Amino acid sequence: MTLTRATGDRRVRVEGPDKVSGRAVYAYEHRIDRVAYGRAVGATVARGRVIDVDVESALADPAVLAVLWFGNAPRLATDEPSELSILQTDRVAYRGQIVALVVAESLETATEAAERLDIRYAEEPFAVELRVDDPELYAPEKVNPGFPTDTNEGDVEAALARAACSVDAVYRTPAYHNNPMEPHAAIAVWNRDALTVYDSNQGVFPVRDKLAEIFGIPPGDVHVISEHVGGAFGSKGTPRPIVVGAAMAARAVGRPVKLAATRAQMFVFVGYRTPTIQRVRLGTDDDAQLVALAHDVVEQTSTLQEFAEQTAVPSRMMYASPHRRTTHRLRRLDVPTPSWMRAPGECPGMYALESAMDELAVACAIDPIELRVRNEPRVDPETGKPFPSRHLVECLREGAQRIGWSARAEPGARRVGRGLVGLGVAASTYPARTRPSSARARALPDGGFEIEIAAADIGTGARTVLGQIAADALGVDAARVRVRLGDSALPQAPLAGGSMGTSSWGFAVTRACERLLESMHGPGEPAEVSVDTTAELDAREERPSHAFGAQFAEVRVDVDTGEVRVSRLVGVFAVGRVMNALTARSQLIGGMTMGLSMALLEESVLDAQFGDYLNHDLAQYEIASCADVESVDVSWIDEEDDYVNPMGAKGIGEIGIVGTAAAIANATFNATGVRVRDLPIRLDAMVGSVAPSAPEREDGR
């Protein structure tokens, strides 16, 4: 019998039945004896000091077990100022920062006591607005995760001055907030000085190590369990105040404590994407080849800790140009600390770059696809090293055929009924990272196999895909493989983020299975092998590895209302070898849907008077739904790349969002001739600017 290869096939998620039936247990749902319930209380001032908390009034209710604040909270083992140092100082760094924890016998009691808690403050003046002319802007030491803040090659100003065709434009993106279906939640259980937490996160080991540091105990005395995670998108990539608060409260009351963020609190202390102000300047020669590229970014961080998103980094490698400059500038404001959100850096940065490329194509009177093809680099512009694989041009060509690019007309020339129709394109990219990982493979007496790895399945199908990878490495049917993950007692693995999860974990699983086969002397013989890929990865040459893609959008803009509707989205990607066609398609559609939200809907609106985001719920923070796009067409090209890992797989979790917003904005310009540079594209930017008189309607009326 010939065994069918498991990877590449369409396989449904192995945990799917448990999730839809309710048998899958998430962090907050674990049943723990004598559990108490916590509620975090946020500051109602944007800057200042906590003077006093009326603890006694709350404790008058015998069902209230504790009210923790700076005046009585246990001292942590670290005094480093950060989002995790909760209740360690009387200082208030931003509105909504945790200033108290209420613990009670029930969630209802904790909630009522928290809402009635009397807290007195000494308010101070605050600053929350990001401005490009702010005198307190500064250059951070690095941008996430460790890139140089600025780069400069050649003479950009001189090259721009003599360019045959040029563009100089400023693009703005607002703050965006992660909103996974499952909020941040944790249960903490102390057994003497050992701590067990059930936490919703993207990686159990960063949580384990940080909790050990914060509470001054050995990492081996911290056990983190995160079996199922209801979405993350970057917000659960690092430990957050909820898990620290649960552990602190549990130690204070001597009982297990459950603590979860409310939906409103998900807009406060769990991270968000910084707003950006980006100036992009491009210049070409007479053949529309870039001679200069400058990308200057202004963004914000908090006064607690620094986070600088790598917004201009993709401009360093995307297109060939002899003169290039990128810069990042930060402003410390009285706001929560920004952090990762799906495709940090590439998502907002490529919106600006790909919008500018579209403007440049118009200025140079050249097709936007042809402009990108002419500026395709032969090697990485930053390092001069060849790409292991780069098939952006093929993605552009395939996507053009799928969207019907040949029907694209001049701005305002196509009309169907009341709608002006336009087509837009944008390129996308994301690094193809592989990080060291451990894994254990075990042969079972019944002829099955067990894979153990502390990976995180954040809803992406990691269990399923790792089972497929193991099955191929072992040469068995995937039904004979069981995968255990989401537990710090398992072999150490990197977090599910940076589009490096499957690439890194699959590498270790493949090697473990290969060595297991070498150690076995016969079918059904019990055996066990553990591996660590650190040495193998350290020994290989560093090369500029990336995934690439092309997103296309067709939009209709109502000539009376200015409403922009997306009729079609097309995405074509070069992401190495796809491990599971079903889950990959879901990931790419999910990314493109978030890009659609970014273009037309999502925006965290800041109230400068109170220093808070106004729309901190899902009624006012709008996200895309099924009705917001009529058709989504996702595909990928065959790409062989044996550099990234033994499977030839590149990450797919983030690249889908990267070019989508720019493609929609560019399509809107093609439909109307109105260029919108500030997201989201609102009605007020279109009404009064859309010309309602195309010469002939396509429907013949």
Side-chain angles (χ1 to χ4, degrees), residues 482-605:
R482 185 178 69 182
V483 178
R484 293 186 59 218
L485 45 70
D487 191 321
S488 63
L490 301 176
Q492 189 160 352
L495 58 84
S499 292
M500 64 184 180
T502 298
S503 178
S504 306
W505 309 328
F507 196 149
V509 167
T510 297
R511 292 291 184 254
C513 291
E514 291 171 347
R515 293 176 192 175
L516 180 66
L517 289 179
E518 294 171 359
S519 70
M520 292 174 62
H521 299 291
E525 177 195 359
E528 181 178 298
V529 171
S530 296
V531 302
D532 186 314
T533 60
T534 301
E536 185 174 353
L537 284 170
D538 287 347
R540 74 178 189 176
E541 178 191 2
E542 190 72 24
R543 298 173 67 182
S545 186
H546 300 262
F548 293 92
Q551 276 100 323
F552 293 79
E554 180 185 77
V555 304
R556 296 192 308 270
V557 183
D558 192 294
V559 296
D560 297 316
T561 67
E563 182 183 21
V564 179
R565 299 288 292 179
V566 177
S567 49
R568 286 192 295 162
L569 284 177
V570 172
V572 182
F573 302 93
V575 289
R577 186 166 178 269
V578 170
M579 296 289 95
N580 183 319
L582 185 64
T583 57
R585 183 174 183 272
S586 293
Q587 282 288 286
L588 294 169
I589 288 177
M592 292 173 68
T593 303
M594 290 183 74
L596 169 64
S597 272
M598 176 181 176
L600 300 181
L601 300 169
E602 288 190 51
E603 178 183 21
S604 298
V605 180

Side-chain angles (χ1 to χ4, degrees), residues 188-203:
V189 184
W190 287 93
N191 183 8
R192 298 181 185 273
D193 288 330
L195 173 64
T196 297
V197 295
Y198 303 86
D199 181 52
S200 182
N201 60 59
Q202 292 174 237

